Structures are given as structure tokens and as C-alpha cells.
Amino acid sequence: MRGVYLPGNRETVVRDDVPVPTPGPGQVLLRVGASTICGSDVRAIYREHLGTGPEGYNDVVAGHEPAGQVVAVGPGVQRLAVGSRVAVYHISGCGQCSECVKGYFISCTSPLRAAYGWQRDGGHADYLLAEENTCIELPDSLTFVDGACVACGFSTAYEALVRLGVSGRDSLLVTGLGPVGLAAGLLAKKLGADRVYGTDPAGERAALALELGAVDDVLSPDDLAGPGFRPVTAAVDCSGSAPGRRTALGALARWGRMAFVGEGGEISFDVSHDVIHRQITLIGSWVTSVGRMRELLERLDVWQLHPEVVVSDRFDLDQADTAYRLVDAGRSGKAALIPS
């Protein structure tokens, strides 16, 4: 089968031929239907090629946002069968620690923890070997591209919104209108947010957010700080930048809530003036749990919302280098690799 590897330093993406794996106990073999590209793949592997910690890349097949169909099962598999259509929660944990028991494999600190596309082979391939307990069945209404988008991006946005308690009582600001920001806006509307604003320095992304209906209005940082703007009750920073985070924090009303979702970078602020005296709640939100990902897939079916609407470009595995260069430019929607 074909597999895609990321050499780092923005070097040409490598497509190689590798053996098709055989499922062991508790594992399934998936024919990959779609594998989308996450901003973290670009930031920490395609550009920097980090080598340690949860984002350490061990020169495996890349791609941590896969969905596909089961074509073989290993011993002990009980829930899935050949033909099952699934999205893959992108981390396999030890299964025994308190975080794994809660379904937050992302927070597992065991040496056994391995993320698809980072420490174990991921979805940028024709086939993927997956643990059954990381596979969540797709409702019939959702496509493989929908499932791949949920594997990380949409689930990450949903987790933040749920933790913020976003509802019809809220107005929301999303800073950073890349794929996760688009997901946050679309999902916030389904959760009942009264008004959703967005901001992004890339005009192409702002235009896409308006076109998709992910936001009601796109405003500049000056607009958000101006006297005519009514502060929002909640904000989600998906930019991962200090200016974006400061904009989100400054746009909050008293008793506002803010979730930090975008990775990397730093921010400094006057704790007393900006947070304590304004009664602000700050939340760090990292991916989601298996249970909440399943909940989101069920809600998407009810809402008739297709995450694939944020996918602006689709490529075959042989075009992976072109796909990564496009995403690295930071001006498009989401890109998906779809094996032909």
C-alpha cells in the first residue's frame, strides 16, 4: 500500500510503498476513506519536525484525522465487523489510567500512549491498523470526509463549546477562522448561540466563514475594540497567536468565558485588570474524549450538518506534497487526502 511521510523543514512530502498491516488482538484494519490534514500536522511535523513529547513524530505514516471502512478484524474484536464505517479517535491510550477511563486518551501519560500519525502509523495511506476502542461508527448520513473532519478538528471545537456551556443565551467570538474556527462557528450556531462573530487576518478565510454561514459577521480587531461593539459573553481562540488571544479576551463582557484551543505561542496580560476584576473564566481545552466524539457524531446526524463543508480542497495520496504546501500557506479551508 501507499504511505505518506513528513520529512520536516517544509521538505518534499514522501510517498512510499509499505506492507499492508495485519490486525492483532483488539485491532481492525481499515480501508481509508479520507484522511484530512490538521494544522498541528503542519505546525509540529511538516515545518518543525518535533521529536519529543505528545507531539513527537516518530517517522511513521502521517495523518491523525482518518475515517474508513473495516476490511479485517483481529482476535477479540467484539463491536465492529467487516463493513463497519468508522471515524478514528486519533490517540490510543493505555486504557487503565484515570484519563483513559474517562475517555480522554489525549491526556494519557503512559509510555503506551501513541497518537496515529505521530507515534504510530496514521491515516495518510490506503489502509490503517486501528485499535477497536478508538473507532466510532459513523451514522449512515455522514461521509468518510465528514468522519475525518470529526476525528480531530470538529471534536476539538465541540469540546471547547460544551465546556464553555454555549447556548442561546450567548454571543460568541471566534478568533482564527481556519478549519477549527469554522467548526466552532458552525457548531455554536447549532447549539443556539444568538450571534457568532469571527476575525482572521486572512481575507480568504474570512470570506469562506461568511459563505459557509459559520459566522454572522467578520470584524477586525479595531471593530471589536470600538465603542459600537457590544462585548460577547463567550470566545474561542483558534488562532494560537498572542494578538488573536488578546483580541478574544478584550472582546469579552464581564463574567465572560474564554477557551484557549489554538496551540503554540504565548500571551501576556494584566491579570487583575483583564481577568480578576472582570470576573473572567479562562479554559484550556485539548481535543476531546471518545464519549464526546461519539455524542458529536450523533448530533451531526440530527442537525444534518456535514463537517465536510469546511473542506475546500481534495487530493489523492500521490498529491500529498501539494496538499501540505496549500495548508501551510494558511489561506484555504481544510484539505483532505482521499485514496483513489
Side-chain angles (χ1 to χ4, degrees), residues 240-317:
S241 70
R245 290 164 176 161
R246 282 195 295 267
T247 294
L249 183 58
L252 287 173
R254 288 182 179 274
W255 295 97
R257 300 104 65 205
M258 176 179 169
F260 291 89
V261 172
E263 295 260 23
E266 297 179 353
I267 181 177
S268 61
F269 51 82
D270 184 326
V271 174
S272 292
H273 178 271
D274 295 336
V275 178
I276 296 175
H277 295 172
R278 295 169 60 213
Q279 307 278 14
I280 299 298
T281 299
L282 301 178
I283 296 172
S285 187
W286 192 23
V287 190
T288 193
S289 67
V290 175
R292 191 153 283 161
M293 181 173 161
R294 178 179 286 109
E295 173 185 303
L296 174 58
L297 288 169
E298 294 171 352
R299 297 311 304 166
L300 291 170
D301 183 40
V302 172
W303 289 332
Q304 297 183 7
L305 175 60
H306 286 275
E308 69 177 342
V309 297
V310 307
V311 174
S312 57
D313 300 272
R314 303 178 184 219
F315 302 89
D316 183 58
L317 289 175

Side-chain angles (χ1 to χ4, degrees), residues 35-316:
S35 179
T36 45
I37 297 175
C38 177
S40 294
D41 294 324
V42 174
R43 173 183 56 81
I45 308 178
Y46 180 74
R47 295 175 187 162
E48 299 181 42
H49 218 275
L50 300 179
T52 59
E55 292 187 336
Y57 177 60
N58 293 351
D59 295 318
V60 296
V61 174
H64 71 267
E65 298 184 336
Q69 187 165 29
V70 176
V71 294
V73 300
V77 169
Q78 299 179 355
R79 181 171 49 88
L80 301 177
V82 171
S84 297
R85 300 168 63 254
V86 300
V88 181
Y89 182 88
H90 62 276
I91 303 98
S92 172
C94 70
Q96 302 298 319
C97 69
S98 61
E99 294 298 313
C100 282
V101 169
K102 291 184 291 187
Y104 284 91
F105 298 166
I106 181 68
S107 298
C108 177
T109 58
S110 164
L112 298 175
R113 179 195 188 277
Y116 294 95
W118 298 78
Q119 296 90 35
R120 60 180 292 165
D121 286 336
H124 290 356
D126 292 301
Y127 295 92
L128 170 67
L129 187 66
E131 305 300 317
E132 184 186 28
N133 66 358
T134 64
C135 294
I136 304 172
E137 291 192 76
L138 284 172
D140 292 340
S141 67
L142 299 182
T143 68
F144 289 129
V145 179
D146 288 328
C149 289
V150 170
C152 177
F154 264 72
S155 290
T156 295
Y158 186 63
E159 175 79 14
L161 294 171
V162 171
R163 291 184 63 185
L164 285 172
V166 170
S167 71
R169 300 174 296 173
D170 288 306
S171 53
L172 177 75
L173 171 64
V174 179
T175 52
L177 295 174
V180 176
L182 293 175
L186 290 167
L187 292 170
K189 289 197 167 189
K190 292 299 184 180
L191 290 169
D194 177 60
R195 190 83 176 164
V196 178
Y197 302 97
T199 186
D200 195 296
E204 298 91 337
R205 285 186 160 176
L208 180 59
L210 287 169
E211 178 187 337
L212 295 178
V215 297
D216 296 302
D217 202 357
V218 174
L219 301 176
S220 70
D222 289 340
D223 294 330
L224 292 163
F229 179 71
R230 183 176 181 180
V232 295
T233 58
V236 178
D237 175 68
C238 302
S239 73
S241 70
R245 290 164 176 161
R246 282 195 295 267
T247 294
L249 183 58
L252 287 173
R254 288 182 179 274
W255 295 97
R257 300 104 65 205
M258 176 179 169
F260 291 89
V261 172
E263 295 260 23
E266 297 179 353
I267 181 177
S268 61
F269 51 82
D270 184 326
V271 174
S272 292
H273 178 271
D274 295 336
V275 178
I276 296 175
H277 295 172
R278 295 169 60 213
Q279 307 278 14
I280 299 298
T281 299
L282 301 178
I283 296 172
S285 187
W286 192 23
V287 190
T288 193
S289 67
V290 175
R292 191 153 283 161
M293 181 173 161
R294 178 179 286 109
E295 173 185 303
L296 174 58
L297 288 169
E298 294 171 352
R299 297 311 304 166
L300 291 170
D301 183 40
V302 172
W303 289 332
Q304 297 183 7
L305 175 60
H306 286 275
E308 69 177 342
V309 297
V310 307
V311 174
S312 57
D313 300 272
R314 303 178 184 219
F315 302 89
D316 183 58

